[in-house]
Amino acid sequence: MEAANDNVSARALEIGKAGEHLVCADLILQGYRAFLSDQGLPFDVVAVANDRLWRVQVKSTLQPKNVNAKGRNPRLSYSWSIRKRGKDGKGDRLTGAHCDLVALVALDTREVAYLPLSECGQTVQLKPTGSTYTSVGGPSTFDGDVSSYPFADAISGTRTYRRGSLEECPNGHPYTPENTYFSKGKYRMCRICAAESMRKRRATKEAA
Ligand SMILES: [Zn+2]
């Protein structure tokens, strides 16, 4: 049993390494200077662009999974946990002290999505390239597929990533601390909108 576990973690390590090399190669082929960092540092790749260094944390996954297991239609999505690697697979939240960007690698298609760390929650889900379904999960989800997050955008500082703006809900209410709560601990919700939809649901019930 122990030998099998050792094999699994050795394989995971190899897969992680493959992702790091892939990101390095991807950046170099785009014309950037990029190199693998030393072991033990909280970032895996360093890239040179816009006259500065960018610390890149690489997260890899082998293939997309069905994230709509309970629903009728399978919905494939890649999923990456954005955490520091710990001994038992768990880890602390990544912060700006660890890295600037995350590179999310889809190993089956060898595509890489680059995102500023500040845009990432604890998990990031992206659709496979060409998927047409609409993401669900509120304003903190990413609409694009895995091919639509280039490195150039991630370092530009000008791209808006999430569906809603960071200051307002999709209906234009401000995300002040008083008007904000988090559903399931991760989806940012607007209290005004939540109260409104509750009122509508009640009205529908009463009319029925
Ligand atoms: Zn609202």
Side-chain angles (χ1 to χ4, degrees), residues 47-119:
V48 185
N50 297 350
D51 296 321
R52 60 160 282 194
L53 297 174
W54 298 84
R55 300 164 302 160
V56 184
Q57 172 74 232
V58 178
K59 298 288 178 190
S60 301
T61 189
L62 283 170
Q63 67 227 343
K65 285 180 216 138
N66 180 16
V67 292
N68 190 32
K70 286 183 191 152
R72 221 173 292 160
N73 305 313
R75 200 153 44 206
L76 288 177
S77 180
Y78 294 102
S79 180
W80 298 268
S81 166
I82 311 296
R83 298 183 143 256
K84 232 162 51 183
R85 254 187 304 263
K87 282 193 185 105
D88 50 0
K90 291 178 188 167
D92 295 333
R93 222 184 155 138
L94 285 170
T95 70
H98 303 116
C99 61
D100 306 300
L101 308 174
V102 292
L104 306 173
V105 183
L107 286 166
D108 57 343
T109 60
R110 300 188 186 171
E111 289 168 293
V112 186
Y114 298 89
L115 290 169
L117 177 66
S118 54
E119 297 287 336

Side-chain angles (χ1 to χ4, degrees), residues 169 171 173 179 190 192-193:
C169 85
N171 292 320
H173 307 124
N179 190 42
C190 164
I192 298 172
C193 286

Side-chain angles (χ1 to χ4, degrees), residues 12-197:
L13 217 70
E14 287 296 303
I15 287 165
K17 242 192 272 173
E20 292 168 20
H21 283 91
L22 205 65
V23 168
C24 229
D26 183 52
L27 290 170
I28 289 167
L29 291 172
Q30 289 181 54
Y32 299 102
R33 289 195 59 198
F35 43 92
L36 293 169
S37 80
D38 277 338
Q39 291 251 311
L41 289 171
F43 46 93
D44 307 303
V45 170
V46 180
V48 185
N50 297 350
D51 296 321
R52 60 160 282 194
L53 297 174
W54 298 84
R55 300 164 302 160
V56 184
Q57 172 74 232
V58 178
K59 298 288 178 190
S60 301
T61 189
L62 283 170
Q63 67 227 343
K65 285 180 216 138
N66 180 16
V67 292
N68 190 32
K70 286 183 191 152
R72 221 173 292 160
N73 305 313
R75 200 153 44 206
L76 288 177
S77 180
Y78 294 102
S79 180
W80 298 268
S81 166
I82 311 296
R83 298 183 143 256
K84 232 162 51 183
R85 254 187 304 263
K87 282 193 185 105
D88 50 0
K90 291 178 188 167
D92 295 333
R93 222 184 155 138
L94 285 170
T95 70
H98 303 116
C99 61
D100 306 300
L101 308 174
V102 292
L104 306 173
V105 183
L107 286 166
D108 57 343
T109 60
R110 300 188 186 171
E111 289 168 293
V112 186
Y114 298 89
L115 290 169
L117 177 66
S118 54
E119 297 287 336
C120 300
Q122 302 197 14
T123 313
V124 171
Q125 290 191 348
L126 296 175
K127 319 184 254 203
T129 300
S131 301
T132 50
Y133 68 81
T134 309
S135 307
V136 288
S140 66
T141 52
F142 295 90
D143 273 332
D145 61 38
V146 70
S147 71
S148 46
Y149 298 97
F151 179 74
D153 283 5
I155 64 171
S156 73
T158 54
R159 176 165 171 184
T160 310
Y161 280 91
R162 309 196 206 198
R163 185 185 296 166
S165 92
L166 294 175
E167 283 82 38
E168 290 177 357
C169 85
N171 292 320
H173 307 124
Y175 277 130
T176 54
E178 301 76 43
N179 190 42
T180 307
Y181 71 99
F182 287 85
S183 160
K184 293 178 186 164
K186 56 182 171 179
Y187 302 123
R188 188 173 47 177
M189 309 295 283
C190 164
R191 286 190 191 280
I192 298 172
C193 286
E196 179 63 23
S197 70

